[in-house]
Amino acid sequence: MSEDMADFLLPRDDVGKHASALVAPLNIQKQPRNQEKRHSRQSSSKGGASIKSQSQSQSQSQISPPLTPRSSRESLEQIQASLPVFHNYLRAFYHFHPSSTVTSSTDESSITVPISQGDVILVHSVHPNGWADGTLLASGARGWLPTNYCEPYDHPTIRSLLNSLTNLWDLVREGENGDLFAFTKQDYVRGMIAGVRFFLEKTECLTRDSSLIVAHVGLRRMRKGLLGDLSSLVKAAKRLQDILQSSETPVFPHLDEIVLKAFKLVTRAVRFLDIWAQDAVSLSFDLGDGSNNRPLTPPSDSVDPTVQAPTTPNHNDADVTPTNEDASSVSPTNATATHNEMNSANQPPRIPGRLSVAFSLPSDSDALQSPVFPPSLQTHGHRLSITHRLSYSGKSQGARKQSLASERLNAAHDAFLGFIGSFIGLHLQSRSSEELTLTTQESVIACRKLLAVVEEVWERDSRRSEPLEQAREVMYTRLTDLVQATKDMFGGSQYGLGEEVVMPEAGKQLVDAATSCVRSAGDCVAKARLVIERIGDFEFEIEDETLSKAVFDQIAQAAESESKDLEAPQPSEPASEPGRRPSEHTLETEKPLPAPPIESDERKMPPPPLVISESKPLPRVPQQIPNSNALQPGSPMSPPLGDSPTLPSFRMSRTSLPPLQQVPTSHLPQSTPSEYSQSPASATRRFFPKGVRADSVNASVADSSSSYRYSMRGDTGSIISLTSTRATTPEHSPSKKRSSQAFVSSSFGSVSELHSVASEDLSAAEEHLLETTFAHELVYNKEGQITGGSLPALVEQLTTHESTPDIVFVSAFYLTFRLFTTPIELAQCLINRFDYIGDSKTVGVPVRLRVYNVFKGWLESHWVSETDSAALGIIFSFATGKLRTAIPHAGKRLAELTSKVTEVRAGALVPRLASSLNKAHIFLAPDGHTPAPLTSRSQINALKAWKEGQRQCMITEFNPQEVARQLTIIESRLFCSIQPEELLCLEWQKKTGSKAVNVRAMTALANDLANLVADSILIYEDIKKRATVIKHWVKIGMFCLELHNYDSLMAIVCSLNSSMVQRLKKTWEVVSANTKSRLEELKTVTEVGRNYTVLRQRLQTVVEPCIPFIGFYLTDLTFIHEGNSTTRLLHGESDPASASVINFDKYMKTARIIDQIQSFQQPHRLAPVPEMQEWMESQIQRVRSSEQANVQSYYRRSLLLEPREPPQVVKAAAAGIEDGAPGALSADHRTTSKERFDFRSFHFSTNVVKERPT
Amino acid sequence: MNQREYHIVVLGSGGVGKSCLTAQFVQNVWIESYDPTIEDSYRKAIEVDGRHVILEILDTAGTEQFTAMRELYMKTGQGFLLVFAITNMTSLYELNELREQIRQIKEDDDVPMVLVGNKSDLEDDRAVSRAKAFKTSQEWGGVPYYEASARRRANVDEVFVDLCRQIIMKDRENKHRTREPREERRGRKPRPERDQHHRRPKCTIL
């Protein structure tokens, strides 16, 4: 369609037609049903016999599925049925105005929220009967509303905004529970901003100058309003932040304010999208529609092709009975004009909003039946309950409703684990069998409860998750095993083991069964959670609660009270969740749950009567459901009718149809404003409940729709009229539980406020928005930390203006950016940031300064010349160009830095991390705390003599504490010079050209030290001497521990603990018990099990300086490197369209480890004794260069010293006898390592080691 | 104490993909980020032939150069995964040394062990023929040989399960033995016999 602005000037009706044209596809789906109803009803009102016959024919045709729309619908249903999803947002497309006054106000739990066409609702939960607990974005009112009046609302353009709204809502709920941390930061607001920005960008309305905005007055105004809303939201958030910082008292009003502002913003965005969809799309803007699996989304075109072919024969007599067929009959080539007419005839019932692209769901029937909610659930006829949005903000669980499936699952699991735990514990202690029986019983019961919950989840899921089923089956089996084991055991105990005490062994099987039960339970629970995430959380029924009474006392109570008094509000819930209807559906027939409100409403209201007559509580969707049944006898809808015993009353069986048909007719005439009857739409409209709504509401509705039209034409009053219309809504929503009432009315009600906002803050908001941002390309984890993002988004985080950039983030970035980008790219990206932010005072300047700071920090302390110098040219020209122009002194400084960096490069190492290097060189600041060396004059002399080659020194000659100190100094020198780059990317693993010189040197030192220990012990033939050396090393180890020199300690313990030393049994017999117990102590510290738990814990509390054992850091780094991918998907796995961004989490983890290492890089305050160090280093050197310094030769030496004892000898005698002889030993030593290796591999161990004769 | 906790040590030279193998095995597929610093990073409960066991895996990845540490690692292990990369012949040779050391430390020829040729997805770069690897495994007394791909998660679980099965069997054997007189125990030592029983030559190839 090529309408242009001229369309705005069309008379209203035309506009309506035009608008409706866009929606054609949607209608096509549902039309058949409507027709059916319509014709029977209409026959009276509109009269024409021809119509009647026609409609009949149509209905027939509907029954047999020749119609095109059908086929398309069916395929759709298939798709959607396979994906039952919980939709976070609904959009009303009928009015639903229960008697506005009385009903609801009495009791919070029964509050029904009136909804108007086009209202967007944030859904919290959905009751199986089709009522949803939702909050109207338009008013902030919360209450029950019929889902069948709504359809899921989701559109790629606005999705990101909606998501951030959901996020905000969850945060606020957290906030209400006292967790306000998120509000001390602005991330959530940034999310909203990014959402708006993304939205405007997608609609091509981002800048004031975009052609669409220029051309379209309505959009221009909407955009302005949107910006106004945004800026007031931002302000509110800032205010909240300030308040939190100053820790003033009540924050809740502010939370509410923020929520409402956000709602308002989104509401306006929705409106915007509506208008945009009408106009922009008609202007043939091609929205790359992201809603792939909803073929019908794009309003006009996509559907037609499918539809038209079969239906072509159809009639254009649609005037009275407009049908989809009509629409479909139009061949695609048909001029838009025809199209429009037809559709407009069809369209009337729709609100303008209905027309929007954003209404993505193809047909209501689909929406009602499968995808969204209850219908699909009902289909299975299982016990139903409310579906909840699963909140991902996992904290403060306590405040969440305990009857939620997710909570139940957790609670049941916990309880189960508790019982099983004590059960297992009991067994190990072999208590009395009676006690055992009891625990066993409890465990089994708990297990059953858990199973029940899982079962529930499984049944709830219309897709019948297979993994979950399997897991459940497994668990059943385990449970059976457990029961069986119990039986067996008690059977056994009767026969003799004695009834009093069950031996642990007898219970072993039981324990096994229990453990496997635990395992499968864990699995089961994990799977169930996945399912819940997918289908939405939901509430449990009372039945279950009674079942689990013992476990969930509280819940049970709550449930009971509920069952007694349906209306009773939930005590803990700030926002009331109206009664959840458990299994008592039958009762509900009379007193429908959500129905209570409804019933009464219905009595008063025209459409409700239907329900009354049927005594069907369902939010009887006006016509659709019945129709859908009629239309699709074979559809998933029908089986449930027969199958589900619980719900028959709920079902919209055909019987319910007649009343429906009658009712509307009678009521409509009265309620429908004349305005409607004039419009082409009026005929159809009447059949929708909205038409029923009396006076004021109707008027306001009319207003709103008209205001849209005006706005489309560019009427200046549109925004205002829009707001004023909205302002009426709160009055109709009886359910304002929140203290926020004031805000509601103020934020939505006052036109003047909007004006002021518009005038004052618009520019600010504009700026905010135009501020290019990549915030939508960031991924956060549940703790609010950034775990991923595109490079520009990460750079943006580095240069935020609202707050100081997170130091951890910044240092992680500096450290690791070379792993995911290049210096040139980074420099470019920073310069881009500098460019796009502009030079505004509030935003531009601070950000530009930050950009400069990032460069400065990079050059000053994180420069790695080999890699980074490539970017030097870019940085320099930036410094002397743009930066100097904008901020002269910064430009100058940066230019200086670039040359400085070049100079330093000429030198050796660039001083990088101030922390490590500086301190490393303040070695021994004269400060009095340095302990004096514990070396005697004679020892020094001995060392001097050694140096002159006059004598040998033995380790035992020196004070072990001093040895430990000197060792520590040597280690520390290496450790402190480790550069972060050495730890990245498994650098130390590289076989050639590794830059990790210091890491490798440390590794080598540890190995040498270990060898030295072995060497010094094994050198003595005398047992006592060996024992002395062992004792000496244990002492040295103790002192190393004292000095937090874990690296040396590890080496020493390793060596003392090695088989070649350990196997010297005779030697150890001489070692004192004291020494042995000390060694044990050291062993526990260096325990490698459980992922070095002991050592890790020690390091957490250690006061530096410290030389950690870098081994496990290296393992950590390896696993982080290998176990985490370099990229991640922006929107998680579920979204196939998800873009892939840098997995910054991986780099944060890496940086965290390196940071930890660096924090230890401080020199010890110890006085070196050069003589001793020299000697030690020579010893190390000797060991290193010795060919014998390897495990095998030490082992052989050990064997020589203390040959294997007889019992070890195996039958095969006398194979490698000569090895026992000294000569053989020396011969062995002479072999090259290669030879040794081969020899060993195939002969040595078997023959010599294992079977060596005495 | 839960006796069903077994310690497995993963050995092999640097760069053969040990850590990948372990991470793949230990990690739940849907966990987005892997944090190796926590105590349970290397623990996993699995079921082997209907028995539930907890495996505690000690992966030496990153510390291959700490040769002095090896013994410490090896001492803790009840079963060993010896990993090389099929793209790197040296990595297989280096395992010989490790194996000898294990046998020495355990003073046992029969330590539960699995030989794993990792990176089987890189068939084009294969440097170690299956025959060669298999031959090595036979020389080691019929140690099972698997070719696995951590990247594709092929044969990952299998490798661990096989090892675990060996450990369980050994465990049982030992218990059995303790009730037997010592002589007898020694009597049944001849390896070939055992090979037939427990160590059917195995070569699992994708």
Side-chain angles (χ1 to χ4, degrees):
Chain A
M1 334 183 154
S2 62
E3 288 104 324
D4 55 8
M5 296 311 126
D7 286 329
F8 304 137
L9 304 174
L10 289 176
R12 198 193 278 178
D13 287 352
D14 288 1
V15 175
K17 283 179 194 171
H18 155 186
S20 57
L22 300 171
V23 197
L26 299 176
N27 266 348
I28 290 171
Q29 319 287 110
K30 57 161 68 160
Q31 214 49 32
R33 302 182 235 136
N34 291 343
Q35 282 168 317
E36 194 188 25
K37 267 172 238 160
R38 216 171 277 141
H39 69 77
S40 54
R41 271 179 248 143
Q42 223 108 4
S43 55
S44 60
S45 61
K46 292 271 165 170
S50 62
I51 299 164
K52 198 170 185 180
S53 64
Q54 176 215 321
S55 57
Q56 273 164 355
S57 70
Q58 280 172 359
S59 65
Q60 279 165 4
S61 65
Q62 286 153 5
I63 290 165
S64 57
L67 293 183
T68 347
R70 273 219 97 188
S71 63
S72 72
R73 181 199 309 133
E74 276 166 1
S75 65
L76 261 178
E77 276 166 3
Q78 280 169 2
I79 294 167
Q80 299 192 338
S82 67
L83 299 169
V85 175
F86 186 87
H87 291 264
N88 287 350
Y89 291 89
L90 290 181
R91 185 155 196 193
F93 74 72
Y94 300 113
H95 288 289
F96 173 69
H97 288 287
S99 72
S100 52
T101 46
V102 210
T103 5
S104 27
S105 59
T106 51
D107 190 347
E108 284 201 337
S109 64
S110 63
I111 287 166
T112 310
V113 174
I115 52 177
S116 304
Q117 275 181 338
D119 281 351
V120 175
I121 297 129
L122 170 62
V123 183
H124 309 300
S125 61
V126 179
H127 191 274
N129 63 9
W131 287 85
D133 170 22
T135 301
L136 282 193
L137 299 195
S139 62
R142 180 165 175 177
W144 291 105
L145 47 97
T147 53
N148 50 351
Y149 279 53
C150 309
E151 59 188 358
Y153 186 69
D154 185 25
H155 189 270
T157 51
I158 204 172
R159 192 175 296 151
S160 119
L161 182 58
L162 291 179
N163 286 344
S164 42
L165 179 65
T166 318
N167 182 30
L168 179 113
W169 172 269
D170 287 343
L171 282 176
V172 167
R173 288 209 55 192
E174 293 295 322
E176 283 167 350
N177 297 326
D179 184 356
L180 293 163
F181 177 71
F183 297 97
T184 57
K185 298 202 262 169
Q186 296 274 312
D187 290 335
Y188 65 104
V189 180
R190 240 172 272 142
M192 293 295 287
I193 296 172
V196 172
R197 197 192 136 79
F198 182 78
F199 170 69
L200 287 180
E201 209 166 52
K202 281 286 169 204
T203 54
E204 302 193 10
C205 296
L206 184 58
T207 66
R208 215 179 317 185
D209 312 325
S210 73
S211 57
L212 199 61
I213 290 296
V214 171
H216 196 305
V217 182
L219 284 185
R220 191 154 65 231
R221 289 178 189 291
M222 289 305 279
R223 181 174 170 278
K224 216 171 163 191
L226 204 57
L227 296 184
D229 291 344
L230 186 61
S231 96
S232 78
L233 173 67
V234 170
K235 280 189 168 178
K238 287 245 168 73
R239 220 174 303 138
L240 178 60
Q241 192 180 15
D242 293 343
I243 288 170
L244 285 174
Q245 271 158 12
S246 63
S247 73
E248 276 171 41
T249 36
V251 290
F252 296 133
H254 294 275
L255 287 181
D256 289 333
E257 184 186 357
I258 281 171
V259 169
L260 285 167
K261 292 220 154 110
F263 279 179
K264 191 176 164 195
L265 175 68
V266 173
T267 310
R268 200 184 296 271
V270 170
R271 302 264 171 263
F272 184 98
L273 191 57
D274 292 344
I275 298 176
W276 177 85
Q278 278 173 274
D279 297 334
V281 169
S282 66
L283 290 170
S284 81
F285 265 83
D286 193 17
L287 214 211
D289 67 308
S291 48
N292 311 326
N293 41 4
R294 294 174 182 150
L296 299 184
T297 321
S300 30
D301 333 292
S302 64
V303 181
D304 292 276
T306 35
V307 174
Q308 40 179 112
T311 19
T312 328
N314 265 338
H315 13 271
N316 283 3
D317 36 2
D319 290 351
V320 187
T321 337
T323 49
N324 279 327
E325 278 81 345
D326 299 314
S328 56
S329 69
V330 182
S331 75
T333 45
N334 259 354
T336 34
T338 350
H339 215 99
N340 286 348
E341 283 174 22
M342 322 237 70
N343 288 326
S344 65
N346 296 338
Q347 274 316 6
R350 306 307 185 100
I351 3 129
R354 179 65 192 135
L355 307 177
S356 76
V357 184
F359 274 99
S360 49
L361 253 225
S363 90
D364 337 0
S365 73
D366 293 329
L368 293 167
Q369 297 250 144
S370 39
V372 205
F373 334 88
S376 65
L377 303 171
Q378 288 169 349
T379 321
H380 298 285
H382 280 287
R383 314 175 253 168
L384 306 168
S385 59
I386 299 179
T387 312
H388 287 265
R389 193 158 48 78
L390 183 60
S391 164
Y392 282 89
S393 45
K395 314 169 208 161
S396 67
Q397 301 275 7
R400 300 189 52 204
K401 199 174 295 179
Q402 286 168 306
S403 52
L404 287 183
S406 54
E407 296 302 306
R408 290 289 294 270
L409 195 63
N410 291 343
H413 193 209
D414 289 350
F416 170 69
L417 290 182
F419 283 122
I420 283 278
S422 62
F423 174 75
I424 295 173
L426 270 184
H427 268 287
L428 297 176
Q429 294 164 30
S430 72
R431 292 274 185 76
S432 76
S433 61
E434 201 178 319
E435 205 172 336
L436 251 178
T437 323
L438 191 66
T439 1
T440 311
Q441 268 170 4
E442 279 170 340
S443 307
V444 172
I445 290 170
C447 186
R448 271 202 203 118
K449 274 170 201 153
L450 180 58
L451 271 174
V453 179
V454 170
E455 176 101 339
E456 198 70 27
V457 172
W458 182 77
E459 283 182 354
R460 177 85 177 186
D461 175 19
S462 56
R463 223 193 300 175
R464 299 298 198 227
S465 157
E466 216 169 85
L468 177 57
E469 186 174 8
Q470 284 164 1
R472 192 192 53 172
E473 290 307 320
V474 171
M475 199 174 148
Y476 267 128
T477 324
R478 300 275 166 270
L479 181 59
T480 321
D481 291 350
L482 180 61
V483 173
Q484 191 53 48
T486 319
K487 277 185 196 155
D488 290 352
M489 198 185 70
F490 290 114
S493 71
Q494 278 170 7
Y495 296 130
L497 283 175
E499 286 165 290
E500 297 283 297
V501 176
V502 179
M503 297 307 291
E505 281 213 4
K508 193 144 189 294
Q509 196 194 349
L510 199 48
V511 178
D512 286 353
T515 354
S516 49
C517 229
V518 171
R519 240 161 266 327
S520 46
D523 189 34
C524 218
V525 167
K527 301 238 162 67
R529 266 206 89 86
L530 281 183
V531 172
I532 294 177
E533 276 185 30
R534 181 159 47 76
I535 63 170
D537 215 343
F538 58 94
E539 276 179 70
F540 268 65
E541 302 162 14
I542 288 173
E543 276 182 16
D544 297 310
E545 279 154 12
T546 51
L547 205 182
S548 51
K549 206 164 240 157
V551 193
F552 315 100
D553 276 339
Q554 265 192 320
I555 300 170
Q557 279 168 9
E560 265 169 354
S561 68
E562 276 167 32
S563 64
K564 283 171 200 153
D565 178 11
L566 300 176
E567 261 91 318
Q570 282 276 305
S572 60
E573 278 292 295
S576 69
E577 303 266 345
R580 51 222 55 130
R581 219 29 23 160
S583 49
E584 311 165 15
H585 293 294
T586 30
L587 302 181
E588 287 168 6
T589 348
E590 260 99 14
K591 270 224 171 177
L593 233 231
I598 304 158
E599 264 185 19
S600 48
D601 295 344
E602 284 160 358
R603 273 165 207 144
K604 288 159 196 168
M605 303 310 302
L610 320 171
V611 184
I612 295 174
S613 63
E614 281 289 355
S615 71
K616 295 241 159 114
L618 238 256
R620 43 38 267 234
V621 174
Q623 296 73 2
Q624 273 112 290
I625 289 190
N627 279 335
S628 68
N629 283 341
L631 287 175
Q632 321 164 352
S635 79
M637 196 54 185
S638 46
L641 291 175
D643 293 346
S644 68
T646 27
L647 294 178
S649 57
F650 271 114
R651 286 288 133 64
M652 297 283 143
S653 55
R654 291 200 189 191
T655 48
S656 64
L657 283 177
L660 280 173
Q661 290 164 352
Q662 290 159 6
V663 178
T665 359
S666 55
H667 288 283
L668 282 172
Q670 305 154 355
S671 54
T672 317
S674 59
E675 185 194 349
Y676 285 150
S677 55
Q678 285 160 4
S679 77
S682 60
T684 7
R685 255 191 195 179
R686 295 186 195 155
F687 298 97
F688 293 91
K690 122 204 152 180
V692 170
R693 184 67 176 127
D695 39 77
S696 69
V697 174
N698 251 334
S700 74
V701 169
D703 262 6
S704 70
S705 49
S706 60
S707 75
Y708 285 126
R709 287 167 193 175
Y710 284 126
S711 71
M712 281 189 285
R713 298 191 212 151
D715 176 359
T716 40
S718 63
I719 292 181
I720 295 167
S721 70
L722 172 64
T723 13
S724 62
T725 309
R726 302 279 76 223
T728 61
T729 336
E731 297 170 12
H732 302 303
S733 67
S735 58
K736 258 170 271 147
K737 315 104 205 203
R738 299 169 156 259
S739 60
S740 57
Q741 261 187 357
F743 289 112
V744 176
S745 48
S746 73
S747 59
F748 288 100
S750 104
V751 174
S752 58
E753 187 218 50
L754 177 67
H755 272 313
S756 67
V757 165
S759 53
E760 281 172 29
D761 298 333
L762 266 186
S763 58
E766 180 104 35
E767 196 175 287
H768 235 307
L769 201 74
L770 286 180
E771 180 189 307
T772 308
T773 179
F774 294 89
H776 55 273
E777 291 178 354
L778 284 177
V779 188
Y780 295 88
N781 65 7
K782 284 170 194 168
E783 285 79 47
Q785 284 157 337
I786 292 169
T787 57
S790 61
L791 182 60
L794 295 176
V795 163
E796 204 170 293
Q797 278 312 107
L798 282 178
T799 55
T800 50
H801 65 277
E802 297 106 323
S803 52
T804 324
D806 180 19
I807 187 111
V808 179
F809 177 85
V810 174
S811 57
F813 190 92
Y814 274 133
L815 184 58
T816 60
F817 74 87
R818 295 168 197 89
L819 304 182
F820 52 80
T821 184
T822 64
I824 295 180
E825 258 175 16
L826 174 63
Q828 208 59 65
C829 199
L830 280 163
I831 295 169
N832 284 345
R833 170 80 168 147
F834 185 89
D835 289 342
Y836 72 62
I837 200 63
D839 56 359
S840 69
K841 270 223 171 73
T842 49
V843 178
V845 172
V847 167
R848 286 181 161 193
L849 277 171
R850 293 235 189 262
V851 170
Y852 158 69
N853 274 329
V854 172
F855 274 122
K856 191 164 146 262
W858 182 9
L859 288 164
E860 275 178 354
S861 36
H862 298 275
W863 193 257
V864 179
S865 42
E866 310 103 79
T867 50
D868 298 357
S869 49
L872 207 56
I874 299 174
I875 299 172
F876 185 73
S877 61
F878 168 70
T880 52
K882 288 171 185 163
L883 183 58
R884 179 163 285 174
T885 320
I887 317 169
H889 68 275
K892 195 167 159 246
R893 173 85 183 116
L894 193 58
E896 282 169 19
L897 278 172
T898 51
S899 51
K900 200 171 172 190
V901 158
T902 337
E903 285 161 23
V904 177
R905 186 163 44 137
L909 267 175
V910 182
R912 220 156 306 132
L913 292 144
S915 66
S916 61
L917 231 100
N918 290 348
K919 281 169 196 156
H921 288 298
I922 310 172
F923 219 72
L924 279 191
D927 149 300
H929 295 302
T930 312
L934 300 166
T935 37
S936 67
R937 178 159 295 274
S938 65
Q939 284 167 344
I940 297 290
N941 287 338
L943 284 166
K944 281 180 181 157
W946 160 79
K947 200 178 178 190
E948 288 156 16
Q950 293 170 4
R951 57 163 291 187
Q952 291 295 307
C953 290
M954 288 301 161
I955 190 82
T956 40
E957 290 176 52
F958 305 103
N959 181 312
Q961 186 168 10
E962 195 51 43
V963 173
R965 284 178 185 170
Q966 299 308 316
L967 203 53
T968 304
I969 293 173
I970 295 171
E971 284 271 2
S972 174
R973 216 177 286 146
L974 285 175
F975 175 65
C976 289
S977 22
I978 290 179
Q979 297 301 307
E981 292 75 41
E982 301 187 25
L983 300 166
L984 296 175
C985 257
L986 312 186
E987 185 66 38
W988 70 93
Q989 297 256 42
K990 289 196 183 142
K991 298 226 160 83
T992 52
S994 170
K995 285 178 232 153
V997 276
N998 295 305
V999 172
R1000 292 178 77 118
M1002 258 191 101
T1003 316
L1005 179 59
N1007 289 336
D1008 295 337
L1009 179 59
N1011 286 334
L1012 180 63
V1013 173
D1015 186 81
S1016 62
I1017 295 168
L1018 297 172
I1019 207 165
Y1020 290 106
E1021 307 244 331
D1022 179 44
I1023 289 177
K1024 280 189 183 156
K1025 280 190 178 161
R1026 288 202 294 266
T1028 318
V1029 180
I1030 287 175
K1031 182 182 174 191
H1032 203 71
W1033 278 115
V1034 170
K1035 280 186 185 165
I1036 295 173
M1038 292 301 284
F1039 287 116
C1040 283
L1041 179 62
E1042 207 169 81
L1043 289 165
H1044 301 302
N1045 178 358
Y1046 295 100
D1047 205 63
S1048 302
L1049 171 64
M1050 197 62 133
I1052 294 169
V1053 174
C1054 272
S1055 199
L1056 291 178
N1057 230 357
S1058 66
S1059 46
M1060 56 221 179
V1061 176
Q1062 280 296 314
R1063 62 174 297 286
L1064 302 172
K1065 300 232 160 52
K1066 289 175 191 155
T1067 310
W1068 285 101
E1069 280 166 17
V1070 187
V1071 173
S1072 73
N1074 190 20
T1075 302
K1076 280 181 189 160
S1077 74
R1078 278 178 171 188
L1079 181 58
E1080 281 309 309
E1081 222 174 287
L1082 295 179
K1083 272 193 212 166
T1084 52
V1085 174
T1086 54
E1087 177 62 54
V1088 296
R1090 294 238 160 196
N1091 201 5
Y1092 301 94
T1093 313
V1094 185
L1095 204 46
R1096 280 177 198 272
Q1097 278 166 1
R1098 274 188 98 92
L1099 286 177
Q1100 303 238 313
T1101 54
V1102 102
V1103 187
E1104 35 305 330
C1106 157
I1107 302 171
F1109 171 59
I1110 58 167
F1112 69 76
Y1113 286 127
L1114 298 180
T1115 304
D1116 288 350
L1117 288 166
T1118 307
F1119 271 90
I1120 290 170
H1121 184 81
E1122 303 281 351
N1124 294 284
S1125 64
T1126 51
T1127 57
R1128 61 164 58 213
L1129 294 179
L1130 191 52
H1131 302 297
E1133 302 291 333
S1134 50
D1135 188 346
S1138 191
S1140 131
V1141 295
I1142 296 161
N1143 182 10
F1144 198 68
D1145 184 47
K1146 173 177 183 167
Y1147 303 108
M1148 284 289 267
K1149 284 199 170 90
T1150 307
R1152 212 172 294 141
I1153 305 254
I1154 294 177
D1155 182 64
Q1156 210 177 339
I1157 294 174
Q1158 286 187 309
S1159 72
F1160 294 128
Q1161 287 186 319
Q1162 298 177 30
H1164 286 71
R1165 291 197 182 287
L1166 296 171
V1169 179
E1171 295 85 357
M1172 193 187 277
Q1173 280 192 25
E1174 205 177 324
W1175 174 75
M1176 286 170 68
E1177 271 165 8
S1178 89
Q1179 292 296 303
I1180 287 167
Q1181 205 50 53
R1182 174 179 64 82
V1183 169
R1184 180 175 298 174
S1185 53
S1186 154
E1187 268 185 5
Q1188 304 161 26
N1190 66 67
V1191 177
Q1192 288 307 325
S1193 63
Y1194 286 130
Y1195 196 87
R1196 265 167 278 160
R1197 214 197 290 178
S1198 167
L1199 279 175
L1200 279 181
L1201 293 171
E1202 292 188 29
R1204 280 176 196 282
E1205 287 168 22
Q1208 295 283 341
V1209 182
V1210 196
K1211 38 84 220 206
I1217 330 99
E1218 344 75 81
D1219 286 283
L1225 174 64
S1226 52
D1228 257 355
H1229 286 174
R1230 264 178 257 114
T1231 52
T1232 70
S1233 68
K1234 191 70 198 167
E1235 287 163 8
R1236 217 166 43 225
F1237 154 64
D1238 283 331
F1239 178 53
R1240 255 195 344 267
S1241 318
F1242 299 105
H1243 316 287
F1244 174 74
S1245 308
T1246 347
N1247 298 335
V1248 180
V1249 177
K1250 307 260 350 171
E1251 304 176 11
R1252 202 173 161 281
T1254 333
Chain B
M1 262 294 291
N2 193 344
Q3 294 171 339
R4 251 144 257 277
E5 185 175 315
Y6 294 124
H7 294 259
I8 286 181
V9 177
V10 185
L11 295 166
S13 34
V16 298
K18 291 190 298 291
S19 51
C20 268
L21 205 64
T22 308
Q24 277 283 9
F25 175 67
V26 174
Q27 185 166 197
N28 282 323
V29 207
W30 59 80
I31 289 181
E32 259 201 342
S33 90
Y34 182 67
D35 184 353
T37 63
I38 49 178
E39 189 181 325
D40 286 345
S41 305
Y42 304 102
R43 287 167 69 79
K44 176 158 176 157
I46 63 165
E47 191 181 317
V48 177
D49 304 333
R51 287 159 157 261
H52 288 271
V53 296
I54 294 170
L55 295 187
E56 160 122 19
I57 297 155
L58 181 66
D59 190 325
T60 59
T63 58
E64 293 85 358
Q65 291 154 12
F66 281 86
T67 45
M69 291 287 302
R70 275 190 205 153
E71 269 219 50
L72 204 56
Y73 296 142
M74 289 175 182
K75 279 195 167 179
T76 67
Q78 291 163 281
F80 296 84
L81 223 51
L82 296 181
V83 188
F84 69 97
I86 65 160
T87 56
N88 181 348
M89 187 59 105
T90 324
S91 66
L92 176 60
Y93 285 144
E94 284 171 354
L95 290 182
N96 278 313
E97 193 180 343
L98 290 172
R99 169 173 150 83
E100 284 315 311
Q101 203 177 348
I102 292 167
R103 290 176 56 184
Q104 194 172 84
I105 288 163
K106 294 286 168 187
E107 302 195 330
D108 182 355
D109 283 349
D110 245 358
V111 184
M113 204 178 277
V114 170
L115 178 64
V116 182
N118 195 20
K119 304 196 179 173
S120 67
D121 48 315
L122 301 178
E123 188 61 45
D124 290 347
D125 299 329
R126 181 187 278 276
V128 182
S129 71
R130 283 191 190 114
K132 166 72 186 162
F134 187 64
K135 185 163 162 270
T136 307
S137 76
Q138 291 310 297
E139 285 165 0
W140 287 2
V143 163
Y145 171 61
Y146 286 81
E147 294 205 344
S149 166
R151 191 174 307 161
R152 295 195 185 144
R153 213 179 204 286
N155 261 352
V156 173
D157 290 343
E158 288 80 354
V159 161
F160 283 93
V161 167
D162 187 301
L163 184 54
C164 191
R165 202 168 279 147
Q166 291 183 45
I167 299 174
I168 292 173
M169 221 177 292
K170 182 103 179 169
D171 217 18
R172 233 186 257 156
E173 230 169 65
N174 285 343
K175 267 174 208 156
H176 189 58
R177 274 191 208 170
T178 44
R179 283 177 216 161
E180 286 174 23
R182 273 200 141 183
E183 302 306 318
E184 232 177 285
R185 183 169 119 217
R186 235 178 290 132
R188 65 182 295 287
K189 189 81 180 182
R191 288 185 59 90
E193 186 193 319
R194 186 177 189 278
D195 285 349
Q196 281 158 17
H197 283 267
H198 303 298
R199 290 241 177 115
R200 276 161 285 123
K202 234 187 256 184
C203 177
T204 311
I205 282 152
L206 299 176

